[in-house]
mmCIF file of all heavy atoms in Angstrom:
data_model
loop_
_atom_site.group_PDB
_atom_site.id
_atom_site.type_symbol
_atom_site.label_atom_id
_atom_site.label_comp_id
_atom_site.label_asym_id
_atom_site.label_seq_id
_atom_site.Cartn_x
_atom_site.Cartn_y
_atom_site.Cartn_z
ATOM 1 N N ILE A 9 93.401 98.078 66.874
ATOM 2 C CA ILE A 9 94.384 97.157 66.293
ATOM 3 C C ILE A 9 94.550 95.993 67.265
ATOM 4 O O ILE A 9 95.029 96.164 68.384
ATOM 5 C CB ILE A 9 95.756 97.828 66.067
ATOM 6 C CG1 ILE A 9 95.608 99.178 65.370
ATOM 7 C CG2 ILE A 9 96.678 96.893 65.274
ATOM 8 C CD1 ILE A 9 96.914 99.975 65.279
ATOM 9 N N GLY A 10 94.138 94.800 66.837
ATOM 10 C CA GLY A 10 94.265 93.615 67.681
ATOM 11 C C GLY A 10 92.917 93.137 68.181
ATOM 12 O O GLY A 10 92.193 93.888 68.829
ATOM 13 N N ALA A 11 92.596 91.874 67.886
ATOM 14 C CA ALA A 11 91.309 91.298 68.304
ATOM 15 C C ALA A 11 91.508 90.179 69.314
ATOM 16 O O ALA A 11 90.931 89.105 69.211
ATOM 17 C CB ALA A 11 90.529 90.797 67.089
ATOM 18 N N GLY A 12 92.384 90.439 70.298
ATOM 19 C CA GLY A 12 92.492 89.534 71.447
ATOM 20 C C GLY A 12 91.382 89.863 72.431
ATOM 21 O O GLY A 12 90.436 90.607 72.116
ATOM 22 N N VAL A 13 91.496 89.328 73.635
ATOM 23 C CA VAL A 13 90.432 89.546 74.613
ATOM 24 C C VAL A 13 90.352 91.027 75.020
ATOM 25 O O VAL A 13 89.281 91.513 75.381
ATOM 26 C CB VAL A 13 90.619 88.593 75.829
ATOM 27 C CG1 VAL A 13 91.748 89.046 76.757
ATOM 28 C CG2 VAL A 13 89.320 88.427 76.587
ATOM 29 N N ILE A 14 91.466 91.734 74.906
ATOM 30 C CA ILE A 14 91.438 93.165 75.247
ATOM 31 C C ILE A 14 90.800 93.966 74.105
ATOM 32 O O ILE A 14 89.881 94.766 74.333
ATOM 33 C CB ILE A 14 92.867 93.684 75.564
ATOM 34 C CG1 ILE A 14 93.498 92.902 76.739
ATOM 35 C CG2 ILE A 14 92.839 95.185 75.866
ATOM 36 C CD1 ILE A 14 92.810 93.034 78.076
ATOM 37 N N GLY A 15 91.265 93.754 72.874
ATOM 38 C CA GLY A 15 90.720 94.518 71.745
ATOM 39 C C GLY A 15 89.233 94.289 71.541
ATOM 40 O O GLY A 15 88.461 95.219 71.288
ATOM 41 N N LEU A 33 90.836 95.429 63.565
ATOM 42 C CA LEU A 33 91.708 94.771 62.583
ATOM 43 C C LEU A 33 92.631 93.800 63.286
ATOM 44 O O LEU A 33 93.255 94.143 64.300
ATOM 45 C CB LEU A 33 92.551 95.828 61.857
ATOM 46 C CG LEU A 33 91.760 96.888 61.080
ATOM 47 C CD1 LEU A 33 92.678 98.029 60.641
ATOM 48 C CD2 LEU A 33 91.085 96.254 59.868
ATOM 49 N N ASP A 34 92.725 92.592 62.750
ATOM 50 C CA ASP A 34 93.702 91.640 63.303
ATOM 51 C C ASP A 34 94.395 90.923 62.160
ATOM 52 O O ASP A 34 93.741 90.481 61.214
ATOM 53 C CB ASP A 34 93.048 90.623 64.243
ATOM 54 C CG ASP A 34 94.095 89.988 65.153
ATOM 55 O OD1 ASP A 34 94.962 89.240 64.633
ATOM 56 O OD2 ASP A 34 94.086 90.273 66.356
ATOM 57 N N ARG A 35 95.695 90.801 62.291
ATOM 58 C CA ARG A 35 96.457 90.163 61.210
ATOM 59 C C ARG A 35 96.213 88.658 61.158
ATOM 60 O O ARG A 35 96.408 88.033 60.144
ATOM 61 C CB ARG A 35 97.950 90.438 61.340
ATOM 62 C CG ARG A 35 98.615 89.810 62.529
ATOM 63 C CD ARG A 35 100.090 89.579 62.222
ATOM 64 N NE ARG A 35 100.852 90.815 62.313
ATOM 65 C CZ ARG A 35 101.467 91.231 63.412
ATOM 66 N NH1 ARG A 35 101.419 90.523 64.511
ATOM 67 N NH2 ARG A 35 102.160 92.341 63.411
ATOM 68 N N THR A 36 95.748 88.101 62.286
ATOM 69 C CA THR A 36 95.416 86.671 62.276
ATOM 70 C C THR A 36 93.902 86.532 62.457
ATOM 71 O O THR A 36 93.141 86.941 61.594
ATOM 72 C CB THR A 36 96.217 85.903 63.356
ATOM 73 O OG1 THR A 36 95.923 86.448 64.631
ATOM 74 C CG2 THR A 36 97.696 85.970 63.094
ATOM 75 N N GLY A 41 95.875 85.243 69.166
ATOM 76 C CA GLY A 41 97.174 85.670 69.717
ATOM 77 C C GLY A 41 97.401 85.017 71.063
ATOM 78 O O GLY A 41 97.087 83.827 71.258
ATOM 79 N N THR A 42 97.910 85.751 72.005
ATOM 80 C CA THR A 42 98.240 85.142 73.299
ATOM 81 C C THR A 42 96.980 84.782 74.093
ATOM 82 O O THR A 42 97.047 83.970 75.015
ATOM 83 C CB THR A 42 99.141 86.072 74.138
ATOM 84 O OG1 THR A 42 98.422 87.236 74.498
ATOM 85 C CG2 THR A 42 100.391 86.454 73.387
ATOM 86 N N THR A 43 95.833 85.341 73.728
ATOM 87 C CA THR A 43 94.574 85.003 74.411
ATOM 88 C C THR A 43 94.314 83.500 74.378
ATOM 89 O O THR A 43 93.860 82.910 75.361
ATOM 90 C CB THR A 43 93.409 85.783 73.758
ATOM 91 O OG1 THR A 43 93.592 87.168 74.067
ATOM 92 C CG2 THR A 43 92.050 85.317 74.249
ATOM 93 N N GLN A 45 96.321 81.219 74.574
ATOM 94 C CA GLN A 45 97.294 80.461 75.378
ATOM 95 C C GLN A 45 97.018 80.574 76.871
ATOM 96 O O GLN A 45 97.708 79.974 77.697
ATOM 97 C CB GLN A 45 98.709 81.003 75.105
ATOM 98 C CG GLN A 45 99.084 80.972 73.637
ATOM 99 C CD GLN A 45 100.202 81.935 73.284
ATOM 100 O OE1 GLN A 45 100.584 82.788 74.087
ATOM 101 N NE2 GLN A 45 100.721 81.802 72.080
ATOM 102 N N SER A 46 95.979 81.343 77.233
ATOM 103 C CA SER A 46 95.780 81.708 78.640
ATOM 104 C C SER A 46 95.387 80.523 79.511
ATOM 105 O O SER A 46 94.636 79.655 79.092
ATOM 106 C CB SER A 46 94.688 82.779 78.716
ATOM 107 O OG SER A 46 94.591 83.280 80.025
ATOM 108 N N SER A 47 95.850 80.543 80.746
ATOM 109 C CA SER A 47 95.415 79.539 81.731
ATOM 110 C C SER A 47 94.050 79.888 82.296
ATOM 111 O O SER A 47 93.448 79.070 83.003
ATOM 112 C CB SER A 47 96.430 79.439 82.877
ATOM 113 O OG SER A 47 97.693 79.099 82.367
ATOM 114 N N GLY A 48 93.603 81.096 82.053
ATOM 115 C CA GLY A 48 92.218 81.462 82.333
ATOM 116 C C GLY A 48 91.866 81.750 83.790
ATOM 117 O O GLY A 48 90.690 81.845 84.135
ATOM 118 N N ILE A 49 92.862 81.908 84.642
ATOM 119 C CA ILE A 49 92.556 82.066 86.073
ATOM 120 C C ILE A 49 92.018 83.463 86.366
ATOM 121 O O ILE A 49 92.547 84.470 85.881
ATOM 122 C CB ILE A 49 93.802 81.737 86.919
ATOM 123 C CG1 ILE A 49 94.092 80.238 86.779
ATOM 124 C CG2 ILE A 49 93.600 82.126 88.389
ATOM 125 C CD1 ILE A 49 95.407 79.777 87.320
ATOM 126 N N VAL A 174 94.090 90.996 58.391
ATOM 127 C CA VAL A 174 94.496 92.336 57.921
ATOM 128 C C VAL A 174 95.566 92.880 58.866
ATOM 129 O O VAL A 174 95.324 93.064 60.063
ATOM 130 C CB VAL A 174 93.295 93.318 57.898
ATOM 131 C CG1 VAL A 174 93.754 94.693 57.410
ATOM 132 C CG2 VAL A 174 92.182 92.777 57.025
ATOM 133 N N GLU A 175 96.741 93.124 58.329
ATOM 134 C CA GLU A 175 97.850 93.614 59.145
ATOM 135 C C GLU A 175 97.932 95.136 59.087
ATOM 136 O O GLU A 175 97.910 95.726 58.001
ATOM 137 C CB GLU A 175 99.159 93.014 58.617
ATOM 138 C CG GLU A 175 100.368 93.656 59.257
ATOM 139 C CD GLU A 175 101.539 92.715 59.357
ATOM 140 O OE1 GLU A 175 101.512 91.660 58.696
ATOM 141 O OE2 GLU A 175 102.477 93.053 60.100
ATOM 142 N N VAL A 176 98.036 95.772 60.228
ATOM 143 C CA VAL A 176 98.272 97.221 60.252
ATOM 144 C C VAL A 176 99.767 97.442 60.080
ATOM 145 O O VAL A 176 100.579 96.929 60.852
ATOM 146 C CB VAL A 176 97.761 97.853 61.566
ATOM 147 C CG1 VAL A 176 98.111 99.334 61.611
ATOM 148 C CG2 VAL A 176 96.257 97.655 61.692
ATOM 149 N N THR A 204 95.758 97.518 70.883
ATOM 150 C CA THR A 204 95.727 96.450 71.899
ATOM 151 C C THR A 204 96.519 95.282 71.305
ATOM 152 O O THR A 204 95.982 94.217 71.050
ATOM 153 C CB THR A 204 94.271 96.037 72.230
ATOM 154 O OG1 THR A 204 93.610 95.628 71.026
ATOM 155 C CG2 THR A 204 93.502 97.168 72.862
ATOM 156 N N GLN A 205 97.807 95.531 71.089
ATOM 157 C CA GLN A 205 98.632 94.621 70.292
ATOM 158 C C GLN A 205 99.494 93.662 71.098
ATOM 159 O O GLN A 205 100.271 92.903 70.532
ATOM 160 C CB GLN A 205 99.531 95.445 69.366
ATOM 161 C CG GLN A 205 98.768 96.164 68.284
ATOM 162 C CD GLN A 205 99.690 97.032 67.447
ATOM 163 O OE1 GLN A 205 99.669 98.254 67.555
ATOM 164 N NE2 GLN A 205 100.517 96.406 66.630
ATOM 165 N N ASN A 206 99.402 93.765 72.444
ATOM 166 C CA ASN A 206 100.127 92.817 73.279
ATOM 167 C C ASN A 206 101.621 92.808 72.948
ATOM 168 O O ASN A 206 102.245 93.862 72.917
ATOM 169 C CB ASN A 206 99.474 91.433 73.141
ATOM 170 C CG ASN A 206 99.853 90.502 74.275
ATOM 171 O OD1 ASN A 206 100.887 89.849 74.214
ATOM 172 N ND2 ASN A 206 99.064 90.454 75.322
ATOM 173 N N TRP A 208 103.162 92.613 70.380
ATOM 174 C CA TRP A 208 103.529 93.316 69.146
ATOM 175 C C TRP A 208 103.406 94.840 69.321
ATOM 176 O O TRP A 208 103.453 95.585 68.352
ATOM 177 C CB TRP A 208 102.658 92.836 67.990
ATOM 178 C CG TRP A 208 102.815 91.363 67.745
ATOM 179 C CD1 TRP A 208 103.786 90.762 66.985
ATOM 180 C CD2 TRP A 208 102.003 90.303 68.275
ATOM 181 N NE1 TRP A 208 103.608 89.387 67.017
ATOM 182 C CE2 TRP A 208 102.527 89.080 67.801
ATOM 183 C CE3 TRP A 208 100.892 90.256 69.109
ATOM 184 C CZ2 TRP A 208 101.975 87.841 68.124
ATOM 185 C CZ3 TRP A 208 100.343 89.026 69.436
ATOM 186 C CH2 TRP A 208 100.882 87.834 68.946
ATOM 187 N N ASP A 211 105.400 97.800 67.699
ATOM 188 C CA ASP A 211 105.026 98.502 66.455
ATOM 189 C C ASP A 211 104.794 99.987 66.745
ATOM 190 O O ASP A 211 105.107 100.843 65.909
ATOM 191 C CB ASP A 211 103.699 97.944 65.897
ATOM 192 C CG ASP A 211 103.883 96.627 65.142
ATOM 193 O OD1 ASP A 211 105.028 96.225 64.904
ATOM 194 O OD2 ASP A 211 102.849 96.022 64.796
ATOM 195 N N VAL A 229 103.472 75.837 80.215
ATOM 196 C CA VAL A 229 102.329 75.337 80.986
ATOM 197 C C VAL A 229 102.276 73.815 80.795
ATOM 198 O O VAL A 229 102.441 73.324 79.675
ATOM 199 C CB VAL A 229 101.003 75.963 80.485
ATOM 200 C CG1 VAL A 229 99.847 75.536 81.386
ATOM 201 C CG2 VAL A 229 101.095 77.491 80.429
ATOM 202 N N TYR A 255 101.203 78.200 90.163
ATOM 203 C CA TYR A 255 99.740 78.229 90.208
ATOM 204 C C TYR A 255 99.230 76.924 89.605
ATOM 205 O O TYR A 255 99.813 76.396 88.652
ATOM 206 C CB TYR A 255 99.148 79.470 89.522
ATOM 207 C CG TYR A 255 99.341 79.592 88.014
ATOM 208 C CD1 TYR A 255 98.538 78.882 87.121
ATOM 209 C CD2 TYR A 255 100.306 80.441 87.489
ATOM 210 C CE1 TYR A 255 98.697 79.021 85.741
ATOM 211 C CE2 TYR A 255 100.472 80.585 86.114
ATOM 212 C CZ TYR A 255 99.667 79.871 85.248
ATOM 213 O OH TYR A 255 99.839 80.013 83.895
ATOM 214 N N GLY A 315 103.414 79.846 76.037
ATOM 215 C CA GLY A 315 102.726 81.076 75.670
ATOM 216 C C GLY A 315 103.649 82.238 75.955
ATOM 217 O O GLY A 315 104.660 82.080 76.650
ATOM 218 N N VAL A 316 103.319 83.389 75.399
ATOM 219 C CA VAL A 316 104.219 84.538 75.543
ATOM 220 C C VAL A 316 103.514 85.664 76.289
ATOM 221 O O VAL A 316 102.392 86.035 75.948
ATOM 222 C CB VAL A 316 104.722 85.004 74.159
ATOM 223 C CG1 VAL A 316 105.757 86.117 74.321
ATOM 224 C CG2 VAL A 316 105.327 83.840 73.386
ATOM 225 N N TYR A 317 104.190 86.184 77.314
ATOM 226 C CA TYR A 317 103.676 87.326 78.072
ATOM 227 C C TYR A 317 104.260 88.617 77.481
ATOM 228 O O TYR A 317 105.410 88.638 77.042
ATOM 229 C CB TYR A 317 104.142 87.290 79.533
ATOM 230 C CG TYR A 317 103.602 86.213 80.431
ATOM 231 C CD1 TYR A 317 102.726 85.222 79.998
ATOM 232 C CD2 TYR A 317 103.995 86.201 81.773
ATOM 233 C CE1 TYR A 317 102.258 84.251 80.884
ATOM 234 C CE2 TYR A 317 103.531 85.237 82.654
ATOM 235 C CZ TYR A 317 102.673 84.256 82.209
ATOM 236 O OH TYR A 317 102.226 83.308 83.085
ATOM 237 N N PHE A 342 100.247 93.426 79.618
ATOM 238 C CA PHE A 342 99.478 92.788 80.704
ATOM 239 C C PHE A 342 100.294 91.754 81.490
ATOM 240 O O PHE A 342 99.824 91.243 82.501
ATOM 241 C CB PHE A 342 98.174 92.204 80.154
ATOM 242 C CG PHE A 342 97.233 93.299 79.735
ATOM 243 C CD1 PHE A 342 97.219 93.772 78.430
ATOM 244 C CD2 PHE A 342 96.429 93.902 80.668
ATOM 245 C CE1 PHE A 342 96.392 94.820 78.056
ATOM 246 C CE2 PHE A 342 95.596 94.950 80.316
ATOM 247 C CZ PHE A 342 95.577 95.408 79.003
ATOM 248 N N GLY A 344 101.067 88.730 81.624
ATOM 249 C CA GLY A 344 100.582 87.411 82.044
ATOM 250 C C GLY A 344 99.364 87.424 82.935
ATOM 251 O O GLY A 344 98.979 86.384 83.460
ATOM 252 N N HIS A 345 98.720 88.597 83.123
ATOM 253 C CA HIS A 345 97.506 88.586 83.960
ATOM 254 C C HIS A 345 96.402 89.476 83.381
ATOM 255 O O HIS A 345 95.598 90.051 84.114
ATOM 256 C CB HIS A 345 97.837 88.970 85.413
ATOM 257 C CG HIS A 345 98.524 90.299 85.607
ATOM 258 N ND1 HIS A 345 97.835 91.419 85.961
ATOM 259 C CD2 HIS A 345 99.821 90.672 85.500
ATOM 260 C CE1 HIS A 345 98.691 92.437 86.080
ATOM 261 N NE2 HIS A 345 99.902 92.006 85.800
ATOM 262 N N GLY A 346 96.325 89.534 82.056
ATOM 263 C CA GLY A 346 95.368 90.443 81.419
ATOM 264 C C GLY A 346 93.955 89.906 81.260
ATOM 265 O O GLY A 346 93.011 90.686 81.133
ATOM 266 N N PHE A 347 93.822 88.586 81.251
ATOM 267 C CA PHE A 347 92.474 88.039 81.033
ATOM 268 C C PHE A 347 91.530 88.456 82.147
ATOM 269 O O PHE A 347 90.416 88.918 81.915
ATOM 270 C CB PHE A 347 92.554 86.518 80.896
ATOM 271 C CG PHE A 347 91.211 85.851 80.841
ATOM 272 C CD1 PHE A 347 90.206 86.336 80.003
ATOM 273 C CD2 PHE A 347 90.929 84.737 81.619
ATOM 274 C CE1 PHE A 347 88.954 85.726 79.961
ATOM 275 C CE2 PHE A 347 89.695 84.127 81.579
ATOM 276 C CZ PHE A 347 88.695 84.637 80.756
ATOM 277 N N LYS A 348 91.973 88.306 83.385
ATOM 278 C CA LYS A 348 91.099 88.598 84.529
ATOM 279 C C LYS A 348 90.733 90.075 84.601
ATOM 280 O O LYS A 348 89.804 90.443 85.300
ATOM 281 C CB LYS A 348 91.737 88.131 85.837
ATOM 282 C CG LYS A 348 93.050 88.819 86.165
ATOM 283 C CD LYS A 348 93.679 88.301 87.432
ATOM 284 C CE LYS A 348 94.115 86.862 87.393
ATOM 285 N NZ LYS A 348 95.141 86.543 86.364
HETATM 286 C C1 FAD B 401 100.706 80.948 79.046
HETATM 287 C C2 FAD B 401 99.817 82.076 79.487
HETATM 288 C C3 FAD B 401 99.019 81.919 80.590
HETATM 289 C C4 FAD B 401 98.200 82.973 81.016
HETATM 290 N N1 FAD B 401 97.373 82.782 82.069
HETATM 291 C C5 FAD B 401 96.567 83.793 82.499
HETATM 292 C C6 FAD B 401 95.681 83.596 83.581
HETATM 293 O O1 FAD B 401 95.607 82.520 84.154
HETATM 294 N N2 FAD B 401 94.873 84.640 83.946
HETATM 295 C C7 FAD B 401 94.964 85.862 83.344
HETATM 296 O O2 FAD B 401 94.260 86.790 83.771
HETATM 297 N N3 FAD B 401 95.791 86.064 82.298
HETATM 298 C C8 FAD B 401 96.585 85.065 81.866
HETATM 299 N N4 FAD B 401 97.426 85.255 80.800
HETATM 300 C C9 FAD B 401 97.463 86.566 80.170
HETATM 301 C C10 FAD B 401 96.295 86.813 79.257
HETATM 302 O O3 FAD B 401 95.975 85.646 78.538
HETATM 303 C C11 FAD B 401 96.669 87.964 78.323
HETATM 304 O O4 FAD B 401 97.049 89.094 79.110
HETATM 305 C C12 FAD B 401 95.535 88.364 77.405
HETATM 306 O O5 FAD B 401 94.973 87.256 76.742
HETATM 307 C C13 FAD B 401 96.086 89.355 76.405
HETATM 308 O O6 FAD B 401 95.095 89.722 75.489
HETATM 309 P P1 FAD B 401 95.460 90.815 74.383
HETATM 310 O O7 FAD B 401 94.188 91.116 73.688
HETATM 311 O O8 FAD B 401 96.241 91.930 75.006
HETATM 312 O O9 FAD B 401 96.538 90.109 73.443
HETATM 313 P P2 FAD B 401 96.434 89.055 72.253
HETATM 314 O O10 FAD B 401 95.433 88.004 72.509
HETATM 315 O O11 FAD B 401 97.834 88.594 71.995
HETATM 316 O O12 FAD B 401 95.920 89.922 71.042
HETATM 317 C C14 FAD B 401 96.712 90.843 70.355
HETATM 318 C C15 FAD B 401 96.302 90.761 68.907
HETATM 319 O O13 FAD B 401 96.892 91.840 68.200
HETATM 320 C C16 FAD B 401 97.106 91.404 66.876
HETATM 321 N N5 FAD B 401 98.067 92.323 66.252
HETATM 322 C C17 FAD B 401 99.267 92.698 66.764
HETATM 323 N N6 FAD B 401 99.879 93.559 65.938
HETATM 324 C C18 FAD B 401 99.054 93.723 64.877
HETATM 325 C C19 FAD B 401 99.140 94.484 63.667
HETATM 326 N N7 FAD B 401 100.203 95.250 63.394
HETATM 327 N N8 FAD B 401 98.108 94.417 62.781
HETATM 328 C C20 FAD B 401 97.018 93.641 63.049
HETATM 329 N N9 FAD B 401 96.911 92.892 64.178
HETATM 330 C C21 FAD B 401 97.907 92.935 65.065
HETATM 331 C C22 FAD B 401 97.597 89.978 67.039
HETATM 332 O O14 FAD B 401 97.412 89.221 65.871
HETATM 333 C C23 FAD B 401 96.762 89.485 68.225
HETATM 334 O O15 FAD B 401 95.625 88.729 67.816
HETATM 335 C C24 FAD B 401 98.222 84.218 80.327
HETATM 336 C C25 FAD B 401 99.034 84.368 79.201
HETATM 337 C C26 FAD B 401 99.816 83.309 78.766
HETATM 338 C C27 FAD B 401 100.672 83.511 77.553
#
Side-chain angles (χ1 to χ4, degrees):
I9 312 173
V13 75
I14 301 296
L33 300 169
D34 200 293
R35 67 153 77 92
T36 59
T42 66
T43 292
Q45 304 159 349
S46 188
S47 302
I49 292 169
V174 180
E175 170 150 14
V176 176
T204 57
Q205 292 177 253
N206 198 275
W208 300 275
D211 281 351
V229 186
Y255 66 79
V316 185
Y317 292 2
F342 291 92
H345 56 98
F347 173 47
K348 62 182 65 61

